[in-house]
Amino acid sequence: MDDKFMLLAIEEAKKGIERGDGGPFGAVIVKDGQILGQGHNQVLKNNDPTCHGEIMAIHAACKKVGSFDLSGAEIYTTGYPCPMCLGAILWANIGVVYYGCNVDDTEKIGFRDSAFYERSKDENKAKFIHELKREECLKLYAEYAGIKDKKNY
């Protein structure tokens, strides 16, 4: 853990705020003391709800290292990662997350992360998640698995 990387995440967030790109969210990804990528929220700039600070930093880091695998890296982010960002962090194999503000802090300034946590609970999923055409999709998966095995990836 290094405070200087959190300070860089804060500076990244400030840059986004000053430009009007989005909310106060910045992130820096570090491995072995070296910055792999950094980013800030660009939801407003890009009219894209997936352009969170953590996602933008992951894009930059993956591009820099030429891989989707960021094993051994850490992420410093100004806010506790939302479910989407936490999922991306896990998919990228980032091992440690350092965050500044918590979910309650984020909600107090108008963001609704807790609603996403609530909606993802098992008793609420049935209201908006529905299985459809599973057999056809299983065939697609089997096709992919066969290709994947042949290409060794």
Side-chain angles (χ1 to χ4, degrees), residues 117-147:
Y117 290 108
E118 187 62 33
R119 198 153 193 201
S120 67
K121 290 181 180 176
D122 285 340
E123 64 268 18
N124 295 326
K125 285 181 187 176
K127 295 175 186 172
F128 73 103
I129 297 177
H130 309 281
E131 187 177 283
L132 182 65
K133 295 284 189 186
R134 181 169 182 258
E135 291 304 316
E136 288 83 347
C137 292
L138 283 171
K139 290 175 188 172
L140 176 70
Y141 277 27
E143 182 180 335
Y144 170 78
I147 292 169

Side-chain angles (χ1 to χ4, degrees), residues 29 36 57 68 74 94 97-98 124 135 138 142 144:
I29 298 173
L36 299 182
F68 61 85
E74 307 169 336
I94 295 171
V97 177
Y98 297 103
N124 295 326
E135 291 304 316
L138 283 171
Y144 170 78

